[in-house]
Amino acid sequence: MRVPMIAGNWKMNTTVGEAIKLVSELCQGLDKIGNVEKVLCPPFVSLTAVRELIKGSSIKLGAQNIHFEPKGAYTGEISPLMIADLCEFVIIGHSERRQYFHENGEIVSKKLTAALAVGLKPILCIGERLKENEAGRTEEVVTEQLTSSLAGIDYPDDLVIAYEPVWAIGTGKAATGEQANGTIGFIRRSISQLLGKSTAQNIRILYGGSVTAANTAEFMNQPEIDGALVGGASLKAAEFLSIVKQTSELRR
Ligand code: PGA
């Protein structure tokens, strides 16, 4: 049985003060919801403050990115070791990193290896762009992303994958539950070929892209979807709580 996960990706939003306020609004309610792994991914500068606030609760912490080197002359970067000190999870290969910071398959693969080497659990993001979707190339694109990222990785069972069609991120135009379930089923079959059947059965594959309280049930009613990576809606306490609560109830 795969425990569903709801992860909130706050992206480049919230000052430290705003992060503290948001977690204070979320903490009690989120802590009480069982049967779902709950992960908050605030900006780097708020990790320490958020970590203090969720201490002793069932809420887990994730970072949004890492560099692949453990230390060195990389001004402005944050290493996997620094994050492993604070967090259990890290988002890797988000489409915004691929698009705006030119992260390719090779960089994503290095980051994955580096994260796993220090005991961080990566949330690996993959997904096709609108043009690729319209050209019927979704399966080809996610296969290429999976193959280039997963080449030679150890401990694959610690991995979480988030399927995020780029055209659905931050656009308010989510995929349908059926579409997402179809592609996620395809991803699971590909993982079975790449990493073996038992890993494919154990790995959680989330959907991401304009998930809201209003469409949560559509995704969580699908058998292949093991949760969600939530962007915009994770910045509103009541809405995020509703997404987690609905997931817990639907998956009970
Ligand atoms: P969104 O973002 O929920 O705002 O579409 C999802 C993500 O980028 O992970």
Side-chain angles (χ1 to χ4, degrees):
M1 261 303 267
R2 300 183 294 263
V3 177
M5 170 187 285
I6 302 290
N9 173 13
W10 295 6
K11 308 193 180 185
M12 197 175 72
N13 295 295
T14 68
T15 60
V16 176
E18 287 163 350
I20 289 172
K21 182 168 177 281
L22 181 54
V23 175
S24 311
E25 288 164 7
L26 281 171
C27 200
Q28 262 200 338
L30 263 191
D31 185 31
K32 282 195 220 125
I33 306 174
N35 193 38
V36 177
E37 193 158 41
K38 300 147 289 191
V39 184
L40 301 179
C41 305
F44 288 134
V45 293
S46 295
L47 286 173
T48 306
V50 172
R51 186 169 183 259
E52 279 306 304
L53 288 169
I54 61 176
K55 209 178 242 173
S57 80
S58 58
I59 305 164
K60 298 182 172 170
L61 195 59
Q64 297 174 17
N65 182 31
I66 44 166
H67 194 272
F68 49 77
E69 292 291 348
K71 63 179 179 177
Y74 297 97
T75 301
E77 290 294 318
I78 304 284
S79 96
L81 278 173
M82 299 169 191
I83 294 305
D85 226 19
L86 298 171
C87 299
E88 186 172 337
F89 293 92
V90 61
I91 298 172
I92 289 182
H94 191 279
S95 68
E96 287 151 15
R97 302 284 328 162
R98 295 179 194 258
Q99 187 177 348
Y100 304 130
F101 304 95
H102 313 296
E103 287 190 13
N104 56 23
E106 189 190 336
I107 294 175
V108 171
S109 167
K110 280 185 179 175
K111 290 187 173 190
L112 264 187
T113 306
L116 289 166
V118 296
L120 278 166
K121 298 177 182 165
I123 302 174
L124 169 67
C125 302
I126 59 174
E128 82 286 2
R129 292 161 187 251
L130 182 61
K131 267 198 180 142
E132 295 161 337
N133 179 279
E134 287 172 348
R137 293 183 52 220
T138 299
E139 294 188 353
E140 178 196 330
V141 171
V142 296
T143 302
E144 196 284 316
Q145 289 172 332
L146 275 178
T147 315
S148 62
S149 323
L150 299 183
I153 68 153
D154 296 324
Y155 322 113
D157 286 11
D158 279 347
L159 199 63
V160 176
I161 290 177
Y163 166 60
E164 301 202 300
V166 179
W167 46 269
I169 296 177
T171 57
K173 189 180 164 226
T176 66
E178 236 171 75
Q179 269 175 330
N181 191 65
T183 306
I184 288 176
F186 172 81
I187 291 168
R188 202 178 298 286
R189 292 194 293 281
S190 306
I191 289 172
S192 180
Q193 283 172 0
L194 286 167
L195 302 172
K197 207 171 172 184
S198 96
T199 298
Q201 280 315 309
N202 293 335
I203 271 188
R204 285 174 292 182
I205 310 178
L206 318 180
Y207 167 76
S210 298
V211 172
T212 61
N215 64 19
T216 293
E218 174 166 356
F219 296 109
M220 295 314 143
N221 276 324
Q222 301 287 343
E224 291 288 354
I225 304 180
D226 301 318
L229 182 55
V230 185
S234 71
L235 294 167
K236 301 172 210 151
E239 177 140 24
F240 191 65
L241 278 168
S242 165
I243 292 170
V244 178
K245 211 164 169 206
Q246 290 182 60
T247 303
S248 167
E249 280 160 11
L250 289 163
R251 288 301 172 111
R252 208 168 277 284

